[in-house]
Amino acid sequence: MALTAEAEQLNTVIVQAQSPAVLDVGSDASQFSLNARQINSLSVLGEPDLFRQVQLMPGVSASSENSAGLIIRGGNPEQSLVLFDDFTIYHIDHFYGIYSAFNAGTIQDVQLYKGGFGARYGGRINGVLDIIGKQGNREKVSGRVLVNLININGVLEVPVGEKLTLMLAGRRAYTDVIESHLFRRLFNSVEDQLAENSVTKIFDEPPSFYFYDFNSKLTWRPTDKDVASVSFYSGRDNLQANSNLLQQ
């Protein structure tokens, strides 16, 4: 018995991969959609930050290197409208602007309008940043915890039955408990930029400082086309210090 060689030619197989776009141009004038999944590619001190990504877009900048405020087409940050789940957010940063007030792990969709926005966004003359929070994982329980030298950040997504999902997220700085060298350097850098009559410059001792924010969202999907959500957001910066001058 003899073996004979036989050649076979297979059909050509082409494998292609395309990275999702970070930025898409919307159908309306001056509208841009940001890919929320790409926010983690740009972080501040180990913390993913949406505003740092927005500040790199054409026509958008920051008032300073350490600021999370948005200057859209030369206007003031106060002239821009920031929405989170259709609620207006007035205090948009933490730690004197080093961190933005939004937990990147809770963001699902971001729309930026640099002009020509509709009347429903009335109240601002500069631009609009419309942020939609996550609705939660419908398939399984998922979550993550991130820790850096300033804060700890956790996100939890829980399916509640077939039609309900719950998303919980919290972020808190532990600088009032552990004062790291990085925190002191950041605080000194911010303090040098403040006015001479600023309250923080008359403290006898370094102040105790921390910030936190909390997000929760309950989403109900009665049908494939209908969605109802209840969203909650809270954030705060806490600064405490003693001064003999203030006590006199």
Side-chain angles (χ1 to χ4, degrees):
M1 182 177 179
L3 298 177
T4 59
E6 183 178 351
E8 281 193 24
Q9 184 175 359
L10 301 178
N11 295 329
T12 303
V13 177
I14 301 177
V15 179
Q16 295 180 337
Q18 184 176 2
S19 175
V22 177
L23 179 67
D24 292 328
V25 179
S27 57
D28 297 335
S30 301
Q31 177 192 357
F32 299 88
S33 300
L34 279 75
N35 189 336
R37 295 183 179 180
Q38 299 298 318
I39 295 175
N40 294 333
S41 61
L42 186 62
S43 61
V44 178
L45 304 174
E47 181 84 10
D49 198 295
L50 167 65
F51 276 40
R52 299 303 181 185
Q53 195 170 71
V54 174
Q55 289 171 353
L56 296 178
M57 297 179 59
V60 184
S61 62
S63 57
S64 66
E65 183 178 353
N66 295 331
S67 174
L70 300 178
I71 297 179
I72 302 178
R73 291 185 172 176
N76 296 323
E78 294 78 10
Q79 296 174 333
S80 298
L81 177 64
V82 179
L83 299 174
F84 187 84
D85 282 343
D86 291 329
F87 289 96
T88 302
I89 305 298
Y90 296 96
H91 189 70
I92 61 173
D93 56 40
H94 291 309
F95 200 174
Y96 297 96
I98 294 179
Y99 292 96
S100 70
F102 302 101
N103 190 333
T106 67
I107 298 174
Q108 176 174 306
D109 182 68
V110 182
Q111 301 291 327
L112 175 66
Y113 299 86
K114 296 193 294 183
F117 45 87
R120 70 188 184 97
Y121 294 119
R124 297 294 191 276
I125 61 175
N126 202 4
V128 177
L129 185 66
D130 193 357
I131 306 170
I132 303 299
K134 282 185 176 179
Q135 297 181 356
N137 194 327
R138 302 176 60 181
E139 304 297 331
K140 61 180 180 179
V141 177
S142 62
R144 68 174 188 175
V145 176
L146 300 176
V147 181
N148 57 38
L149 295 176
I150 300 294
N151 65 77
I152 182 171
N153 180 356
V155 179
L156 178 64
E157 300 178 48
V158 181
V160 185
E162 297 181 355
K163 298 183 178 181
L164 278 174
T165 57
L166 176 65
M167 189 278 298
L168 300 172
R171 180 173 55 164
R172 189 191 190 279
Y174 52 82
T175 49
D176 57 327
V177 179
I178 302 176
E179 191 175 287
S180 65
H181 180 66
L182 174 61
F183 167 71
R184 289 307 312 163
R185 291 190 61 181
L186 291 173
F187 190 86
N188 292 336
S189 175
V190 171
E191 191 177 32
D192 292 340
Q193 300 176 16
L194 299 177
E196 291 298 329
N197 60 350
S198 174
V199 175
T200 59
K201 291 198 173 185
I202 60 177
F203 290 154
D204 298 326
E205 299 178 356
S208 173
F209 172 81
Y210 71 91
F211 68 83
Y212 74 85
D213 52 59
F214 176 78
N215 297 76
S216 65
K217 190 171 185 177
L218 182 65
T219 304
W220 178 45
R221 301 176 179 86
T223 67
D224 293 337
K225 297 182 179 180
D226 300 317
V227 177
S229 299
V230 178
S231 180
F232 174 83
Y233 169 82
S234 177
R236 183 179 181 183
D237 285 58
N238 190 296
L239 180 68
Q240 295 181 352
N242 295 322
S243 174
N244 295 331
L245 181 60
L246 293 177
Q247 294 173 0
Q248 293 177 357

